[in-house]
Amino acid sequence: MAEVNPTVEREGTQKRSLSYKKDKCTGCGICTDICPTEALKLGPLVPIARGLLDMDYVKVDKEKCALCGLCAASCPFEAMEFKIDDVSIKENEAYPKWEHKANIDEDKCVYCKACETACPTEAITVSRKLPERTKLVSGEIDINKDTCIYCGICEEMCPADAIKMNNENLEEPEIAVDEDKCVYCLICKRSCPVNAIKAACRSCSYGAYEINPEDSKITGNAFIDEETCINCGWCEEICPVDAVTVTKPFEGEITFKEDFECKAEACHVCVDICPCNAISIVDGKSVVDERFCILCGACAKACPKKGIVIKREKINLENVRSKSWQKQMNKLVEATSK
Amino acid sequence: MPVLIDMEKCGKIKDCPGEGLCIKVCEAGALIEEDGEIVLVPENCDDCDICIQSCPNEAITKKS
C-alpha cells in the first residue's frame, strides 16, 4: 500500500511548488507542527520506521497547502523542497538559512576513518594514501641457494608473504624473495634451520634518522556529503584529533516526564525512529545520549506513552525576515513538543 | 491493564487498511489472528500502547 505524496504546484504571478523528499524525512513532525494551514499530517510513525508500512511519514493535503514554504524552510533535514519559479528557496537570499553544518579540518585529520564508520547516515567518505613502504623500510636480503634445503619454513613464517619457494621439481627447486614486499623483519633468517639466509634491516641499523619526514606522511581526503548529513555530532565526538566541528540545528535539552512509564524493550519505538542513533535501551528504560541528539523530536512524536519532552531553546536558523514567519518559527522553540 | 478492542470498528483483517498492522507492531504476542479476526491475548499485553497509535481504524483503546 505504497502512498506517494504528489508535488503540490500552482501558478499565479509566480510558479510555486512543494515536493516531499521521502529519503530525507525522518518523521520528526516539525513541518506538521509549523504548517499554518494544517495541510501536513504525520502518518503511523512506528510501522513506517520499522518498515512494516511503505508509506510517507508525512501526508501532504494538496487542497489545504497554501504553498507558503514554511515547512521547507524549517525542516532541518531538507525533506521538503519549495521552489519559486523553479528555483529552490535554498538558493533564494530572501529566505531563512540553516546555520547547521559539519566540517572536517583536513589540516588536523589523520584519515583514520573513525567518523566514516560512526556516521549514522553514511554521509562521510574518507580516502587515504599510506606512505610507500619501500621509502620507510629498506635493507638487504639474500638466500644462499647452495646451502638452502628448500624446506619452506621461511616461506611459511614470512609475515609479509615476500618469499616464494617451489620444490615440486626436486632437481631444480626454486626460492626467491620479493624485495618490494620484504620488511626486513629477519624472521626468515632466524627460522632457517641451515643458516642459508643473510639479511639486515637498514632502518634498524640507522634508526629513523634517514627517513625523509615527507615520505612518512599519511595523506588523504575527508568529505561530508551535506545532502545526507544530519549534523548529529557523532563524527565530532568520535574524532581522536578533534578535527570535526558540528553545529546542530537546535540547542536545548531532551528529558523524560517524571511519571513516564517507559516500556523499554517491549516498545523501543524511540530507538527505531531516532535518525541519529542517539537512543538506546539501558536497564529497562530509554536513554538518550545528548551528544548525538539534534532535538528533532521524532522520538517524542513516536513514543506511545508521550513520555519524551523536547525543550528547544534556540533554533540555528538565520535570516527569518518575515514577522509572521518568526512568530511561527518561535513555536518550535517555545512550545514543548508533545 | 490490557488494551480494549472495539470489534465493530476493527472488522476483518482483510478489510483493514493496515492489513492487521496491530499484529505486526505488537512484539509481545498479545494480538493474534484467529479466523481472519484480531484476537487479544490479555496476559501477553505489556501496556506499550503501540497498537493504539498504529491502528488505522482507531479501534484499540484503554479504559481511562
Side-chain angles (χ1 to χ4, degrees):
Chain A
M1 49 180 292
E3 279 186 42
V4 181
N5 279 311
T7 297
V8 187
E9 206 167 43
R10 244 165 264 150
E11 272 188 74
T13 43
Q14 287 176 330
K15 181 185 170 194
R16 292 183 164 216
S17 73
L18 178 74
S19 28
Y20 173 77
K21 308 279 172 198
K22 186 190 178 109
D23 54 331
K24 292 194 171 184
C25 181
T26 63
C28 74
I30 286 178
C31 59
T32 60
D33 285 345
I34 209 161
C35 175
T37 62
E38 293 180 356
L40 304 174
K41 288 267 180 297
L42 279 178
L45 297 179
V46 181
I48 299 173
R50 292 192 181 161
L52 299 170
L53 274 185
D54 183 16
M55 261 176 82
D56 296 340
Y57 279 124
V58 176
K59 181 116 184 69
V60 185
D61 186 334
K62 248 176 116 164
E63 303 307 318
K64 285 186 179 168
C65 176
L67 284 165
C68 68
L70 249 168
C71 56
S74 60
C75 175
F77 306 102
E78 293 176 355
M80 291 281 183
E81 186 172 52
F82 185 60
K83 287 184 181 171
I84 298 175
D85 293 330
D86 293 321
V87 180
S88 167
I89 56 164
K90 270 170 70 183
E91 319 294 331
N92 189 328
E93 62 170 35
Y95 279 79
K97 293 281 170 289
W98 278 104
E99 295 285 296
H100 63 49
K101 59 178 180 296
N103 181 55
I104 301 176
D105 181 348
E106 293 217 24
D107 287 338
K108 289 185 180 171
C109 179
V110 291
Y111 311 105
C112 69
K113 300 194 180 198
C115 56
E116 186 182 287
T117 313
C119 177
T121 60
E122 293 178 15
I124 307 180
T125 315
V126 177
S127 64
R128 70 173 163 226
K129 198 166 168 274
L130 294 174
E132 264 181 68
R133 190 196 42 75
T134 48
K135 286 185 178 159
L136 301 179
V137 202
S138 60
E140 309 251 345
I141 182 162
D142 184 53
I143 301 176
N144 186 327
K145 304 225 164 72
D146 294 332
T147 324
C148 178
I149 55 170
Y150 300 92
C151 65
I153 286 180
C154 57
E155 181 186 33
E156 198 187 318
M157 300 284 272
C158 176
D161 205 16
I163 304 179
K164 283 282 161 283
M165 194 274 298
N166 184 353
N167 60 5
E168 269 174 36
N169 180 354
L170 286 174
E171 297 297 312
E172 284 179 57
E174 293 166 19
I175 189 156
V177 180
D178 182 343
E179 295 202 24
D180 281 337
K181 287 184 176 175
C182 178
V183 293
Y184 307 98
C185 66
L186 314 188
I187 286 178
C188 55
K189 184 179 162 180
R190 293 192 184 108
S191 64
C192 178
V194 293
N195 218 4
I197 304 177
K198 283 192 177 59
C201 169
R202 197 168 290 136
S203 306
C204 296
S205 308
Y206 299 103
Y209 300 106
E210 272 196 344
I211 296 169
N212 180 350
E214 284 302 310
D215 289 341
S216 62
K217 268 193 183 157
I218 298 171
T219 57
N221 284 298
F223 170 75
I224 302 181
D225 180 6
E226 275 182 36
E227 289 288 307
T228 35
C229 172
I230 54 172
N231 308 288
C232 65
W234 268 99
C235 48
E236 186 179 27
E237 277 301 320
I238 208 119
C239 178
V241 293
D242 294 332
V244 193
T245 44
V246 175
T247 307
K248 293 184 182 186
F250 300 102
E251 287 162 35
E253 61 175 350
I254 176 166
T255 53
F256 295 94
K257 283 184 188 158
E258 272 181 31
D259 59 348
F260 172 42
E261 281 179 51
C262 177
K263 291 292 166 181
E265 279 95 349
C267 172
H268 60 82
V269 160
C270 49
V271 179
D272 295 343
I273 201 149
C274 176
C276 305
N277 288 352
I279 312 184
S280 43
I281 305 293
V282 182
D283 294 334
K285 60 177 198 296
S286 167
V287 175
V288 182
D289 191 328
E290 292 206 45
R291 293 176 300 170
F292 311 124
C293 174
I294 55 172
L295 301 168
C296 71
C299 55
K301 284 276 190 297
C303 176
K305 301 279 189 189
K306 301 288 167 235
I308 306 175
V309 185
I310 305 286
K311 202 165 167 255
R312 304 188 190 105
E313 281 149 16
K314 185 168 178 269
I315 173 167
N316 287 322
L317 188 68
E318 298 297 322
N319 195 35
V320 187
R321 297 186 187 178
S322 142
K323 280 258 161 62
S324 58
W325 274 41
Q326 271 174 14
K327 201 176 144 203
Q328 200 73 0
M329 297 276 187
N330 277 340
K331 283 186 185 172
L332 296 176
V333 181
E334 289 160 6
T336 302
S337 185
K338 296 178 282 295
Chain B
M1 187 186 51
V3 295
L4 303 167
I5 305 176
D6 181 333
M7 290 315 290
E8 253 176 65
K9 285 185 183 171
C10 173
K12 296 269 181 194
I13 294 174
K14 67 174 170 55
D15 303 320
C16 169
E19 298 161 339
L21 196 55
C22 57
I23 300 180
K24 295 182 218 166
V25 294
C26 178
E27 293 183 354
L31 294 161
I32 55 169
E33 185 201 336
E34 231 167 67
D35 302 326
E37 286 186 4
I38 306 283
V39 173
L40 176 71
V41 188
E43 60 270 28
N44 285 353
C45 177
D46 54 20
D47 269 338
C48 75
D49 297 356
I50 294 180
C51 57
I52 300 180
Q53 65 172 22
S54 300
C55 174
N57 299 321
E58 295 180 358
I60 311 179
T61 51
K62 263 190 165 172
K63 217 181 257 172
S64 52

